[in-house]
Amino acid sequence: MASLLLLLLLSPLSTTTASSAAYPTIPGTMDTSFPASKDSKLIPIRREVYGDGRIFDITHRYTSDMPSMGSENGLGQFLRLPESMKNGSFANISEMKLITHTGTHVDAPGHYYDHYFDAGFDVDTLDLEVLNGPGLLIDVPRGTNITAEVMKSLHIPKGVRRVLFRTENTDRRLMFKKQSDTSFVGFTTDGAKWLVDNTDIKLIGIDYLAVAAWSDLVPAHLVLLESREIIIVEGLKLDDIQPGVYSIHCLPLRLLGAEGSPARCILIK
């Protein structure tokens, strides 16, 4: 079984796009603070799934009510329209202001290592080959953080380089709640060390704003980022997707000097 799984992960995956049909948005994800069109004929389609069910958008939609670490009131207003056609401008031009670790985002080595930050190990230096390719979506045992024992129990084959860990954060819909929650599931320090020492994983994805459990926030990040070989993707939307092998694609912005960046991430069957 492990050899078959490894073969699938190492084989090229087709990315041919099939015809797109409209799929309903996840209930409760609409940002009601954004005005809808007054023209009933102009109703935008917001999708979570594309290509006849082959392409899954695993990026959270940015809204004023999405959680922001340390905030009880969510992200708040982050988008404004300083240039508006209604006010005489020749075009609508928005601007946004938010923390780079908001919503679905990546961490660069400089996030927790100041000397890496000073040396320039920012999101512009992250390896796109690591951020794109075959990988696993797996379910983590519920009721526990991702410890060394949990990592052992998952039996992730050697050679697997990209793994998205779905936890009870998804079950509890924590990314859809305005108030940040420190009881989220993440890696403990020993779980992070076990991953580094015993697997070939270079891309780690998780379903809340931090990959490390709150109790191990700093030390677990330090373990994962020390080698500068592992890329962390946080705040993934993994609802209603079957576990298994997918082609993972995650593209952060090229923000020179930034230790984190929002990212658009998708899975392709």
Side-chain angles (χ1 to χ4, degrees), residues 58 60 103-105 140 146 163-167 169-170 175 184-187 204-213 232-238:
I58 58 171
H60 277 279
T104 305
H105 66 277
V140 173
I146 306 175
V163 178
L164 309 183
F165 295 86
R166 181 166 55 194
T167 74
N169 299 331
T170 294
M175 285 296 296
F184 63 87
V185 169
F187 276 84
I204 301 170
I206 202 161
D207 50 2
Y208 199 58
L209 293 172
V211 71
I232 298 168
V233 186
E234 297 166 328
L236 289 169
K237 178 172 65 63
L238 301 175

Side-chain angles (χ1 to χ4, degrees), residues 13 32 37 95 105 131 229 240 261:
L13 297 179
T32 55
S37 171
E95 68 179 23
H105 66 277
L131 285 160
E229 295 179 353
D240 303 321
S261 170

Side-chain angles (χ1 to χ4, degrees), residues 62 100-102 104-107 123 252-255 258-263:
Y62 281 70
T100 56
H101 299 270
T102 300
T104 305
H105 66 277
V106 301
D107 287 353
V123 290
L253 302 176
R254 297 188 72 175
L255 299 176
E259 78 300 323
S261 170

Side-chain angles (χ1 to χ4, degrees), residues 132-153:
N132 295 273
L136 279 177
L137 167 61
I138 62 175
D139 276 312
V140 173
R142 295 334 194 217
T144 178
N145 282 310
I146 306 175
T147 63
E149 285 301 314
V150 168
M151 283 300 302
K152 291 177 188 177
S153 73

Side-chain angles (χ1 to χ4, degrees), residues 64-244:
S64 58
D65 288 337
M66 75 188 314
S68 181
M69 194 67 84
S71 171
E72 295 185 356
N73 301 308
L75 178 58
Q77 182 178 355
F78 66 98
L79 193 65
R80 56 188 295 268
L81 190 66
E83 300 290 337
S84 169
M85 294 178 71
K86 295 180 178 62
N87 293 331
S89 296
F90 68 90
N92 293 316
I93 303 175
S94 301
E95 68 179 23
M96 65 179 180
K97 182 179 180 181
L98 45 72
I99 297 169
T100 56
H101 299 270
T102 300
T104 305
H105 66 277
V106 301
D107 287 353
H111 186 29
Y112 277 87
Y113 282 94
D114 200 39
H115 64 291
Y116 290 165
F117 183 88
D118 291 341
F121 290 98
D122 55 22
V123 290
D124 187 48
T125 67
L126 297 179
D127 189 342
L128 289 180
E129 193 276 330
V130 172
L131 285 160
N132 295 273
L136 279 177
L137 167 61
I138 62 175
D139 276 312
V140 173
R142 295 334 194 217
T144 178
N145 282 310
I146 306 175
T147 63
E149 285 301 314
V150 168
M151 283 300 302
K152 291 177 188 177
S153 73
L154 295 174
H155 303 294
I156 299 171
K158 295 287 282 186
V160 175
R161 302 184 66 214
R162 303 168 191 87
V163 178
L164 309 183
F165 295 86
R166 181 166 55 194
T167 74
E168 65 183 34
N169 299 331
T170 294
D171 303 344
R172 296 172 61 197
R173 295 181 63 79
L174 292 186
M175 285 296 296
F176 295 100
K177 296 180 179 179
K178 179 186 292 189
Q179 184 174 2
S180 68
D181 191 327
T182 58
S183 67
F184 63 87
V185 169
F187 276 84
T188 59
T189 305
D190 72 314
K193 191 172 189 310
W194 198 94
L195 181 149
V196 169
D197 293 342
N198 298 279
T199 77
D200 296 318
I201 298 171
K202 301 303 178 188
L203 176 70
I204 301 170
I206 202 161
D207 50 2
Y208 199 58
L209 293 172
V211 71
W214 186 253
S215 59
D216 293 56
L217 191 65
V218 174
H221 270 97
L222 291 175
V223 169
L224 295 173
L225 294 172
E226 183 178 14
S227 69
R228 305 193 307 275
E229 295 179 353
I230 291 175
I231 300 176
I232 298 168
V233 186
E234 297 166 328
L236 289 169
K237 178 172 65 63
L238 301 175
D239 309 71
D240 303 321
I241 306 174
Q242 289 296 315

